[in-house]
Amino acid sequence: MKPGIYKDKRSFNFREGKKLSLTLKPKHQNTKTIMEASQQYIQANKDRFLDELFELLRIPSISADPAYKGEVQKTADLVAEHLRKAGADAVEVLPTGGHPMVYGEKMIDPALPTVLVYGHYDVQPADPIELWTNPAFEPIVRKTDLHPDGAIFARGACDDKGQMYMHVKAFEAMMKSGELPCNVKFMIEGEEEVGSENLGDFLEANKEKLAADIILVSDTGMLANDVPSITTGLRGLSYVEVELTGPNRDLHSGLYGGCVANPINILTKMIASLHDDQQHITIPGFYDKVEELSAAERAEMAKAPFSEKSYCEALDIDAVYGEEGYSTMERGSIRPTLDVNGIWGGYIGEGAKTVIASKAYAKISMRLVPHQMPDEITELFQKHFEQIAPKGTRVKVTPHHGGEPVVTPIDSLAYQAASDAYEKTFGKKPIPVRSGGSIPIVALFEKVLGLKTILMGFGLDSDAIHSPNEHFGLFNYYKGIETIPYFYKYFVEKTKK
Ligand code: BES
Ligand code: MN
Ligand code: MN
């Protein structure tokens, strides 16, 4: 198949269910505005902006795998070099307990506000690599139904190298055009995909260096290319690994079958019991702190475009599945969930081996909504899981990284500035939406630095982040670079008043 005409079946637009029109015209197109020189600079340098992103995408900065430590470091160095070239001062690649942090800043006047940009240059592993149409670290541009202008296919294209790099290029455009309206600091980390374990310490140790007025992050999505939206909430996360032990060694399933607890039989039964028939989670106390949204709030949420038919088509499923009493959009954002992410044990090689395994394992994630604290939920899970394990088995629960949920206000000056910026470049006011994903450090920013975050994402849910064939629309990449300077402009204007 020719690359130019490849169509990705998974990229249906379930947010609208009809053909996209990409002829969005920015408002007031012909009026002179500040940032005009920056916008011209962006148009004149588009091709280079794409080449540079490709260079970043070619380095497999997989933070989870120690074999790629050198590649992660190389990526940090390249990000630092580009920050310097874009015009940042004091650029450093700072060591942490794990992968390095890239820092850079441009302080033009202490009396002006400071925007702290956060992003991550590390990526998820590319597995299963055989499902990639094109190798994960050899970026190419290909068209899809949702991205008729083409999309960049590569691991990290959307999450988060592409979105992080939009900020570097928007900054370059403002710098080279003499239009940077305030101070800016960059903090680009290399271990977001493994839980940002060293970021808390880094924030504590660098409070002064990181002093700012607002944090700006592009690591989320929007509803559709013609339905701009701003993320106003993220779910929290509690992640546990469970190990269930039966007999002290693997046993012959003929000699011992039927006589001892089979850890795989039992573990799957225990896991199945964590949801009831209405798909509510059965862990006692799990919902105690969950806030029920008012009918008015839910009605507001339901206004966002969503087509269940297109959603199902895109995923090749004949029905959605989830908690009774809630819509798909609600299930994926304002409701907590529990999902097995991996399960293993016993014999999985060629042919049949008759064996009862000594142990069975699973990795389980729980997505949390406001007021559910990850440590409390992990404890409730542990207590319950130990309690439901039958005699003849032993259970071990190991907590992994977690993170607190966040909701961001929509009446702040920063939100208004972001909203105006989208309206300027998309010609439409963005819709506020709560996302189902997690960025645990957003809660930390507020706790440690006392700063609110604006989540200006430009990806689409259908961009396959963490999956094979991750991609990021060219439209989205450039729209992001064009929109960011307006956020700076409006934020400075609004905070002046
Ligand atoms: N950028 C994502 C989170 C995201 C994506 C939020 C889309 C909203 C919309 C981030 O890189 C991520 O993958 N987070 C992890 C959690 C982390 C602790 C590994 C997640 O949500 O699973
Ligand atoms: Mn991310
Ligand atoms: Mn991610």
Side-chain angles (χ1 to χ4, degrees):
M1 204 182 303
K2 268 202 244 144
I5 57 161
Y6 176 88
K7 290 263 195 268
D8 194 322
K9 190 167 173 286
R10 284 158 297 231
S11 308
F12 280 98
N13 179 18
F14 54 82
R15 296 303 187 181
E16 273 247 311
K18 59 175 192 234
K19 252 261 96 9
L20 280 176
S21 128
L22 286 179
T23 49
L24 301 167
K25 289 254 161 44
K27 246 173 135 189
H28 325 298
Q29 213 178 25
N30 301 317
T31 51
K32 279 216 169 214
T33 56
I34 314 178
M35 295 299 164
E36 197 172 328
S38 300
Q39 297 299 333
Q40 276 165 8
Y41 182 92
I42 294 165
Q43 297 313 317
N45 290 279
K46 275 189 154 176
D47 293 344
R48 176 171 57 82
F49 287 0
L50 188 61
D51 291 344
E52 289 172 10
L53 174 58
F54 268 39
E55 196 191 339
L56 266 178
L57 292 170
R58 283 193 193 100
I59 318 177
S61 49
I62 305 167
S63 49
D65 188 344
Y68 292 88
K69 195 166 187 279
E71 307 286 338
V72 174
Q73 175 74 44
K74 235 168 87 181
T75 312
D77 293 338
L78 187 60
V79 172
E81 186 191 319
H82 280 301
L83 269 179
R84 243 176 245 125
K85 278 190 191 156
D89 300 325
V91 176
E92 296 169 276
V93 176
L94 297 160
T96 69
H99 297 301
M101 173 77 72
V102 184
Y103 180 84
E105 62 178 39
K106 186 74 205 178
M107 301 301 289
I108 55 171
D109 181 350
L112 285 169
T114 301
V115 174
L116 173 55
V117 176
Y118 163 86
H120 63 95
Y121 65 82
D122 66 319
V123 300
Q124 286 276 329
D127 315 279
I129 52 167
E130 65 279 8
L131 294 183
W132 285 78
T133 312
N134 197 71
F137 297 102
E138 293 172 25
I140 54 151
V141 170
R142 219 161 54 193
K143 293 184 180 178
T144 73
D145 282 348
L146 281 188
H147 297 295
D149 298 342
I152 308 153
F153 279 75
R155 170 58 83 232
C158 177
D159 185 12
D160 181 45
K161 283 174 176 168
Q163 296 211 68
M164 172 273 287
Y165 205 62
M166 295 179 323
H167 286 272
V168 182
K169 294 299 98 176
F171 168 67
E172 175 187 323
M174 291 184 278
M175 282 298 293
K176 306 287 171 185
S177 315
E179 289 182 339
L180 184 72
C182 61
N183 306 308
V184 54
K185 294 176 177 177
F186 286 90
M187 179 182 151
I188 315 292
E189 76 157 317
E191 41 188 19
E192 196 277 342
E193 298 293 8
V194 286
S196 306
E197 312 249 30
N198 295 288
L199 200 77
D201 289 346
F202 183 85
L203 297 185
E204 289 285 356
N206 293 282
K207 276 187 193 168
E208 237 147 80
K209 187 190 191 102
L210 301 172
D213 296 279
I214 190 75
I215 296 184
L216 184 59
V217 179
S218 294
D219 194 20
T220 54
M222 51 179 199
L223 290 176
N225 282 357
D226 56 356
V227 192
S229 61
I230 295 178
T231 304
T232 54
L234 293 162
R235 285 195 286 196
L237 181 66
S238 158
Y239 199 107
V240 295
E241 187 166 328
V242 298
E243 178 192 284
L244 192 84
T245 307
N248 60 0
R249 59 184 169 87
D250 289 5
L251 302 172
H252 189 287
S253 64
L255 298 182
Y256 289 93
C259 307
V260 297
N262 176 330
I264 300 176
N265 291 3
I266 304 286
L267 181 64
T268 49
K269 194 171 156 184
M270 285 165 67
I271 287 171
S273 79
L274 296 175
H275 290 95
D276 66 15
D277 289 344
Q278 286 73 47
Q279 296 308 314
H280 296 304
I281 294 156
T282 57
I283 301 170
F286 188 84
Y287 291 102
D288 282 3
K289 297 197 174 160
V290 172
E291 170 185 42
E292 288 288 339
L293 263 64
S294 67
E297 286 171 299
R298 290 177 69 182
E300 194 55 40
M301 263 190 85
K303 285 187 189 155
F306 179 80
S307 153
E308 193 161 295
K309 186 171 168 281
S310 309
Y311 183 86
C312 288
E313 267 169 18
L315 300 175
D316 253 325
I317 49 177
D318 56 14
V320 293
Y321 187 91
E323 191 183 5
E324 219 172 88
Y326 296 93
S327 69
T328 299
M329 277 218 297
E330 290 172 337
R331 289 168 181 168
S333 61
I334 59 160
R335 296 299 293 167
T337 58
L338 182 151
D339 278 290
V340 178
N341 292 238
I343 184 161
W344 69 103
Y347 183 69
I348 52 162
E350 284 287 310
K353 179 188 180 196
T354 50
V355 67
I356 291 174
S358 163
K359 286 174 189 289
Y361 307 84
K363 290 182 194 275
I364 296 172
S365 68
M366 288 163 278
R367 297 281 168 171
L368 313 178
V369 297
H371 311 307
Q372 282 185 302
M373 289 298 116
D375 290 349
E376 278 173 35
I377 294 294
T378 301
E379 211 181 301
L380 291 177
F381 176 91
Q382 180 157 9
K383 242 176 72 191
H384 178 66
F385 215 63
E386 283 167 2
Q387 205 231 312
I388 61 172
K391 276 206 169 116
T393 65
R394 271 167 293 143
V395 74
K396 189 168 121 197
V397 177
T398 310
H400 281 266
H401 54 70
E404 290 179 23
V406 283
V407 270
T408 64
I410 60 168
D411 56 0
S412 67
L413 294 177
Y415 183 88
Q416 292 309 319
S419 177
D420 289 357
Y422 277 80
E423 193 173 351
K424 174 81 181 159
T425 55
F426 285 84
K428 275 187 190 175
K429 208 176 159 76
I431 304 173
V433 279
R434 275 164 64 173
S435 170
S438 308
I439 309 179
I441 36 82
V442 175
L444 272 184
F445 287 149
E446 181 145 12
K447 264 196 193 151
V448 183
L449 302 178
L451 292 178
K452 293 270 185 223
T453 297
I454 292 292
L455 296 160
M456 270 177 82
F458 293 92
L460 301 183
D461 281 358
S462 51
D463 284 346
I465 62 170
H466 294 204
S467 303
N469 304 310
E470 173 178 352
H471 54 280
F472 188 40
L474 288 177
F475 171 87
N476 305 68
Y477 181 53
Y478 292 126
K479 213 41 148 189
I481 300 173
E482 289 159 25
T483 307
I484 291 162
Y486 291 113
F487 171 80
Y488 282 69
K489 168 176 149 56
Y490 297 140
F491 183 63
V492 174
E493 282 176 9
K494 285 177 199 292
T495 46
K496 239 186 244 163
K497 281 174 201 156

